[in-house]
């Protein structure tokens, strides 16, 4: 009989326990968690605070009892595993309720300890009104404070997924919220210009968003806290939620002599084995291999953790299940918007020295003539030589998850932008368009790689060279209502053919419109008529997003 | 200068005209349409009748004037092309307003005539209260009749996309509706059991649905029509909409000696060329090559038509653009439900003798603990040897388009069910689950092909063999509330491990639950304990869908 010990009872650990039992009725399976709960919906915590999820019990997907009943897994909560003796194949477990420790041997050991919050050494952070938001007790304490003190103002530090979700939850409770983010953008998984719509909607929903701002110290006052910020500002608040990111929890693994990768995560092979025999690891604590860059990366996401758990379970029982690469598909709801991404961001490609090309499109989420259509702002990153998809990001009110899912599959399949042209996606007016957002992105990118269009970026429009002229082909009312580009020549597309004689063949025209579609028609008209031209990819909408990025 | 003539100004034709101009400023492009409009949103017609689309003008995407202005395309409406002289490279055009005909020569000719309605020879069908719903004038006439006569009852013949959308539109106007469908199911693109939720929702929304029922004759009465049906019934109605399917409009092509394929569509090569030099054809009039069966097929869908138009335009101007296969991704909204499909249906695979395996899953559209989650009933068809995806169908209230889009890309990429296990899709509680619907379908199918599970189908449960016992592992309240399976043994999953002694090792247990998930755990428990078992794929939910199919 194989004894499998599992450290950590959420996501990867719980998936592994259930899978292991399905694969073997004989194995002895014991799962330890230092907290009072296992297999809880940690992604749901902010939504229970905000009220979207009414019942607290809805977050408790399994209990120790239900795990025992259904899977014959011995779940030990309040149980901290403090040491691994890899030579003896034993672990030391401390019962946090009795403070008693005991030792237990294993045949196979799975580490699924997750990540720990990054908590910089900020003076005063250790107080009764400051919490993370990673566990059920965290959530319970935050709810209690809000109720007991009728909190009117709260501060969230960190604009990642949890921070953004916490902000939204607090606003749903009509609490005034300040969001402090050290970076010049929230949701750093996407590139800065793609985050600007999120900044706008945060402010539109009454959030006091302070980018590029760090918390320096915290002092307790009679009714709350006073925060000192790195710009010299002081801020009174009644509740402080820290969401400054996470790092792999590797302390236990290190005690066993397990190799830690250069990213700081536990190094594992594709069987989820660590460097130490019979010790496996999964989830937020391990180092993933990024699908696009093929480099080690920390990718703390629930989906990969669950699948790694399944694989590890099979392999601990003698299977040969391979976990491949992680592509880091992710999404976050921010009030009316969703922002999502898959694969590499532009900044990641730059960092890893990967050559890329980028285009932007902003088509409607479904047929424009059908009510409820909303723009999907999509950025596509791809290899300039082969057209292989490297990454995609999208933001908007509708259909964001669908487009990134489609592109996630295309990326995983190794598809190129030429393949995106031919994808056949669901079309009826309530759901899409005959030429879907993803097809359009494929058209633009393929036109570029086939040499049917030459593009420029917002930076070129902002600061054109002497031989270049910015040509805006929108109609004058659009310029008045939405905004014009400084110094741009304006000739509406539909009169361009008749006004070509106004143009100068020695110049290069940088053509733009609202989203890039009319500019494409104008571009083709110009080059087919012997002019030099480039199309600014994504038009004025991209221009606005990039400009706002610098204003943040 | 190349002169390109285009016959038909919607979808494929209009796409080709715009693309041709973008590729060449010099080409002379003339587009003919027998109707008064070009480039109108034919998919939006039912939604304007029902009121979802308020403004009629929203359906007119381009006008002859706007086409001229923007693309310098000479658009001639009310112009029927009556003959092609392929040897002389001329066509004969009849101006339907003046009744004058004229001849015009071409360098390249594109046929985009679309499809014509199938109108069987039903006596009395030619009357003032009977209409198709394929053009703006059709729509206008239907709206006029409804208003002028305060129509209280309407009948739709044909339960395809247009018929279903017409039914919904009429119900939105509080008109009583009878839907006559000759087949035993609506939306024949999906398999019969997948259509049963549509039947249910049609009836729930007050539609008098009559399946397996044909219209035999129509007679005019003082205030409307009397319909005679093939079952002897008579039905009084005030408005009759025919939507009995379409067939390629090949009459013009035949006049030029163009080859017609065995399906009845114009035969084209992958450059969209017909058998006659310099004549191209696209859209509903042509024969597609089905991606899965590799056989010729009629696939009248807007997306492929548009993309074929783009390809044909390039090729008429000397390009070498290949249009590949069509996979027939489609979706239809039916009140609260969407039904969608991609690739082959089971009946199509049977017809073409393609070996397949099938599984069903019914997971939630997003995290079950987050409000608004709805079941996604998904059927996955795949090759039994390689696991290559052959087709997928889904029905439900939420997230249907997304899942079929994901599977459409996977199918197009040649992915297998093993690839579906590892897809990384967007997950946050409002949008998905850490194990998405598509991952779960991949798990089940992969488990099957790896031999980790053996499955049976509903038919096996309905009529088990003597050595088989149906074992339902749901909890007794579920049986009472939702329904039980006749003759099934009921042991709830969570007590199965303790009650194995009640089972007979000489029997084979056909295990079922609500959706197949608990049955999978039970199945593994049984086989790991030495029992013979099979899991009924998709559980009681699939059972109900299949049973209802026979009741329809």
């Amino acid at each position: 009989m194989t004894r499998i010990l599992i450290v950590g009872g959420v996501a990867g650990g719980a998936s592994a326990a259930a899978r292991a039992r399905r694969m073997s009725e004989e194995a002895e399976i014991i799962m330890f968690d230092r907290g009072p709960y296992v297999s809880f919906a940690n992604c749901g915590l902010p939504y229970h605070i905000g009220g979207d999820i009414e019942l607290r019990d809805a977050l408790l997907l399994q209990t120790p009892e239900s795990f025992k009943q259904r899977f014959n897994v011995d779940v030990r909560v309040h149980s901290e595993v403090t040491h691994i003796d890899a030579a003896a194949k034993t672990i030391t477990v401390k019962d946090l309720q009795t403070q008693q420790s005991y030792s237990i041997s294993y045949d196979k050991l799975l580490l699924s300890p997750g990540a720990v919050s990054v908590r910089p050494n900020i003076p005063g952070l250790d107080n009764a009104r400051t919490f993370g938001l990673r566990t059920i007790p965290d959530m319970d304490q935050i709810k209690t404070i809000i109720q007991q003190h009728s909190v009117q103002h709260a501060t969230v530090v960190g604009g990642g997924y949890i921070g953004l979700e916490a902000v939204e939850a607090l606003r749903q409770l009509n609490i005034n919220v300040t969001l402090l983010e050290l970076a010049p953008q929230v949701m750093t998984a996407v590139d800065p210009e793609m985050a600007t719509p999120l900044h706008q909607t945060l402010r539109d929903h009454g959030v006091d968003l302070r980018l590029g701002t760090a918390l320096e110290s915290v002092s307790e006052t009679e009714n709350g806290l006073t925060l000192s910020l790195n710009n010299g500002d002081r801020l009174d608040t009644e509740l402080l939620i820290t969401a400054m990111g996470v790092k792999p929890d590797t302390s236990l693994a290190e005690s066993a002599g397990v190799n830690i990768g250069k990213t700081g995560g536990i190094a594992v092979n594709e069987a989820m084995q660590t460097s130490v025999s019979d010790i496996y690891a999964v989830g937020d604590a391990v180092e993933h291999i990024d699908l696009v860059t093929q480099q080690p990366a920390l990718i703390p996401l629930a989906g990969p953790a669950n699948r790694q758990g399944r694989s590890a379970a099979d392999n601990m029982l003698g299977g040969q299940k391979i976990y491949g690469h992680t592509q880091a598909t992710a999404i976050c709801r921010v009030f009316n918007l969703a922002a999502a991404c898959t694969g590499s961001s532009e900044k990641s490609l730059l960092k890893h020295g990967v050559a890329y090309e980028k285009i932007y499109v902003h088509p409607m989420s479904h047929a424009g003539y059908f009510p409820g259509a909303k723009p999907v702002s999509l950025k596509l990153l791809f290899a300039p030589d082969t057209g292989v998809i490297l990454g995609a990001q999208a933001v908007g009110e509708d259909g964001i998850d669908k487009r990134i899912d489609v592109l996630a599959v295309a990326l995983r399949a190794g598809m190129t932008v030429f393949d995106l042209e031919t994808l056949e996606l669901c079309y009826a007016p309530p759901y899409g368009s005959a030429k879907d957002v993803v097809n359009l992105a494929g058209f633009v990118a393929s036109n570029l790689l086939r040499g049917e269009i030459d593009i420029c970026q917002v930076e070129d429009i902002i600061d054109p060279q002497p031989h270049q002229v910015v040509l805006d082909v929108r109609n004058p009312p659009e310029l008045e209502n939405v905004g014009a580009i400084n110094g741009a020549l304006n000739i509406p597309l539909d009169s361009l053919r008749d006004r070509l004689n106004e143009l100068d063949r020695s110049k290069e025209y940088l053509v733009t419109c609202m989203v890039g579609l009319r500019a494409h028609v104008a571009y083709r008209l110009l080059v087919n008529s012997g002019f030099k031209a480039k199309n600014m990819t994504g038009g004025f909408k991209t221009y606005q997003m990039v400009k706002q990025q610098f204003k943040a």
Side-chain angles (χ1 to χ4, degrees), chain A:
Chain A
M1 191 173 72
T2 303
R3 180 187 281 165
I4 294 174
L5 304 185
I6 298 174
V7 183
V10 195
S15 287
R19 174 79 177 177
R21 175 57 70 227
R22 290 198 302 269
M23 299 311 287
S24 164
E25 192 57 24
E26 288 78 29
E28 183 184 10
I29 306 169
I30 309 176
M31 183 162 76
F32 304 89
D33 201 285
R34 71 163 73 87
Y37 303 99
V38 288
S39 196
F40 64 92
N42 44 3
C43 301
L45 302 177
Y47 299 105
H48 180 55
I49 292 175
D52 277 335
I53 299 169
E54 272 185 63
L55 296 176
R56 181 178 178 278
D57 276 357
L59 300 172
L60 305 174
L61 308 179
Q62 293 278 356
T63 62
E65 295 70 32
S66 72
F67 242 110
K68 177 72 183 171
Q69 192 71 36
R70 178 157 300 179
F71 295 107
N72 190 25
V73 170
D74 177 358
V75 178
R76 303 188 188 178
V77 291
H78 300 295
S79 296
E80 183 167 12
V81 178
T82 56
H83 185 73
I84 299 169
D85 185 337
K89 294 182 72 172
T90 61
I91 64 173
T92 306
V93 184
K94 181 178 179 184
D95 184 323
L96 296 176
Q97 292 183 308
T98 65
Q99 302 299 317
Q100 303 280 311
S101 286
Y102 59 95
S103 175
I104 181 168
S105 68
Y106 60 83
D107 295 301
K108 304 287 178 184
L109 174 64
L110 175 64
L111 303 179
S112 178
V116 289
S117 297
V118 171
R119 266 188 109 163
N121 192 15
I122 296 171
L125 208 54
D126 197 10
N127 64 66
R129 287 174 179 265
T130 298
F131 306 95
L133 181 45
R134 309 236 329 136
T135 65
I136 299 263
D138 288 342
M139 175 188 79
D140 290 340
Q141 286 177 302
I142 290 169
K143 281 182 66 93
T144 301
I145 289 270
I146 289 171
Q147 281 157 17
Q148 283 184 347
H149 297 279
S150 302
V151 166
Q152 301 296 306
H153 184 276
T155 300
V156 176
V157 192
Y161 304 112
I162 295 174
L164 290 168
E165 288 165 359
V167 164
E168 182 172 344
L170 293 164
R171 289 300 298 140
Q172 285 177 328
L173 299 175
N174 274 318
I175 295 171
N176 294 308
V177 183
T178 297
L179 173 58
L180 304 176
E181 169 57 58
L182 183 58
Q185 68 167 101
V186 300
M187 195 173 164
T188 51
V190 301
D191 289 315
E193 78 282 14
M194 299 302 287
T196 60
L198 304 182
H199 301 163
Q200 188 61 50
T201 205
L202 285 163
R203 289 175 173 136
D204 289 347
H205 286 84
V207 176
D208 171 28
L209 172 64
R210 306 196 191 182
L211 297 169
T213 306
L215 175 63
E216 291 210 322
S217 68
V218 181
S219 57
E220 291 188 74
T221 62
E222 202 176 337
N223 300 312
L225 305 169
T226 296
L227 312 181
S228 298
L229 311 181
N230 65 340
N231 57 7
D233 284 355
R234 292 170 75 84
L235 176 68
D236 290 329
T237 197
E238 296 153 67
L239 167 66
L240 180 61
I241 296 179
T242 58
M244 292 176 273
V246 296
K247 60 181 180 187
D249 186 350
T250 56
S251 50
L252 182 62
E254 288 176 66
S255 83
V258 161
N259 279 358
I260 305 300
K262 64 179 178 183
T263 65
I266 300 171
V268 288
N269 64 14
E270 60 187 12
M272 306 315 295
Q273 287 174 305
T274 69
S275 61
V276 173
S277 179
D278 296 320
I279 303 183
Y280 295 72
V282 297
D284 295 1
V286 308
E287 198 168 75
H288 300 236
I289 303 300
D290 181 275
L291 177 65
V292 175
T293 65
Q294 301 283 323
Q295 297 299 310
L298 297 176
I299 305 177
L301 291 169
N306 274 282
R307 284 188 293 280
Q308 290 177 336
R310 273 174 64 91
S311 291
D314 284 12
N315 295 336
M316 289 190 291
L317 288 162
Q320 296 201 314
K321 191 76 83 63
I322 284 176
Y323 179 87
H325 301 92
T326 303
Q327 71 187 85
T329 306
I331 190 166
C332 189
R333 185 180 84 172
V334 184
F335 297 102
N336 56 323
L337 295 181
C341 54
T342 191
S344 278
S345 62
E346 184 176 0
K347 50 193 169 189
S348 167
L349 294 172
L350 283 170
K351 186 177 139 197
H352 288 93
V354 179
Y356 66 90
E357 189 56 81
K358 64 175 171 179
I359 60 104
Y360 299 85
V361 293
H362 307 271
M364 287 292 167
S365 56
H366 59 245
Y369 57 78
F370 193 88
K374 304 285 182 187
V376 174
S377 289
L378 178 73
K379 176 181 187 174
L380 185 66
L381 296 150
F382 50 98
D385 46 357
T386 59
V388 164
I389 301 159
L390 301 174
Q393 303 171 26
V395 60
E397 291 186 55
D398 182 46
I400 298 303
D401 53 337
K402 182 166 78 168
R403 272 47 179 240
I404 292 300
D405 277 359
V406 162
L407 287 161
V409 182
L411 192 154
R412 173 68 62 165
M415 279 183 164
T416 68
V417 296
F418 306 108
D419 294 316
L420 298 185
E421 290 193 293
T422 65
L423 289 183
E424 275 177 64
L425 304 171
C426 288
Y427 166 52
Y431 304 105
S433 298
K435 293 163 182 160
D436 187 79
V437 176
V438 176
N439 296 132
L440 286 172
F443 292 159
V444 174
S446 300
N447 284 343
L448 176 63
L449 295 191
R450 278 194 295 256
E452 292 170 12
I453 193 162
D454 195 4
I455 63 170
C456 64
Q457 301 290 340
V458 172
E459 292 73 5
D460 304 307
I461 293 274
I462 292 174
D463 193 14
Q465 295 173 43
H467 71 285
Q468 293 175 326
V469 175
V470 178
L471 171 63
D472 189 333
V473 298
R474 290 179 294 165
N475 297 319
E478 296 177 79
L479 307 192
E480 281 162 41
N481 298 336
V482 189
I485 293 171
N486 273 345
L489 174 66
N490 177 224
I491 302 179
L493 170 61
D494 288 343
S495 47
L496 182 60
R497 189 171 278 107
D498 298 331
R499 292 174 61 181
L500 288 178
N501 58 349
E502 299 175 27
L503 302 184
D504 179 347
R505 282 177 194 278
S506 72
K507 299 288 189 187
E508 179 177 67
Y509 289 91
L510 307 183
V511 193
T512 183
C513 62
M514 197 60 211
V515 298
L517 198 58
R518 281 173 292 173
H520 176 52
V521 177
Y523 167 89
R524 292 297 311 175
L525 169 54
L526 290 175
V527 297
N528 286 337
S529 304
F531 291 89
K532 291 187 284 291
K534 285 180 175 162
N535 180 355
M536 196 203 84
T537 179
F540 191 75
K541 268 196 99 129
T542 306
Y543 177 83
Q544 284 179 306
M545 289 165 72
V546 173
K547 290 271 277 191
Q548 278 163 21
Q549 156 197 350
F550 297 126
K551 270 190 231 156

